[in-house]
Amino acid sequence: GLQHNVLKKLRQGKHPVEHILDLHGLTVTEARKELQAFLGECEAAGLRHIIIVHGKGFRSKDKPVIKPMVNRWLRAVDNVLAFHSAQPKDGGNGAVYVLLKKPKAE
């Protein structure tokens, strides 16, 4: 249904992106703070389609650290409706599209 179309557009990068958060080079603690603040701002501003750029982790000694953390954090956030790896034009595996829920009508 409708939900499916929305998610398909999300995966395909069809939604105009309203805001971008770049977590490149941050520690996990910094990244988490930034992400929480960013999601709060987006919610307050009524923005729904955002991209979080976490990088591919090439600079990390072992494997990407931020990426799995971002996935875990997003799952824990109430107002995140869905998220999906970005298309290559938007950063591919180094970025994630996030769709926030519609703000509840006051």
Side-chain angles (χ1 to χ4, degrees), residues 18-19 35-50 77-81 98-106:
E18 297 168 318
H19 216 354
L35 180 65
Q36 283 170 331
F38 180 78
L39 291 174
E41 277 169 37
C42 290
E43 193 174 14
L47 303 178
R48 297 192 59 211
H49 301 116
I50 58 182
V77 175
D78 281 344
N79 67 327
V80 170
L81 189 63
V98 182
L99 179 62
L100 300 179
K101 291 178 182 164
K102 275 199 180 77
K104 289 181 187 62
E106 295 304 322

Side-chain angles (χ1 to χ4, degrees), residues 15-85:
H15 288 300
V17 173
E18 297 168 318
H19 216 354
I20 295 179
L21 174 64
D22 193 342
L23 299 175
H24 265 116
L26 298 184
T27 65
V28 168
T29 312
E30 291 166 341
R32 181 169 195 163
K33 267 202 274 237
E34 289 285 317
L35 180 65
Q36 283 170 331
F38 180 78
L39 291 174
E41 277 169 37
C42 290
E43 193 174 14
L47 303 178
R48 297 192 59 211
H49 301 116
I50 58 182
I51 286 189
I52 296 168
V53 181
H54 43 63
K56 296 204 171 74
F58 291 141
R59 279 197 295 260
S60 310
K61 286 182 280 301
D62 308 303
K63 54 189 185 301
V65 181
I66 301 282
K67 180 178 180 167
M69 296 308 290
V70 165
N71 286 351
R72 191 183 303 172
W73 296 334
L74 289 173
R75 277 198 190 92
V77 175
D78 281 344
N79 67 327
V80 170
L81 189 63
F83 58 92
H84 200 275
S85 282

Side-chain angles (χ1 to χ4, degrees), residues 3-15:
Q3 182 82 2
H4 178 73
N5 289 344
V6 168
L7 296 180
K8 192 167 138 194
K9 277 176 80 173
L10 180 72
R11 281 200 303 273
Q12 293 171 347
K14 296 267 174 69
H15 288 300

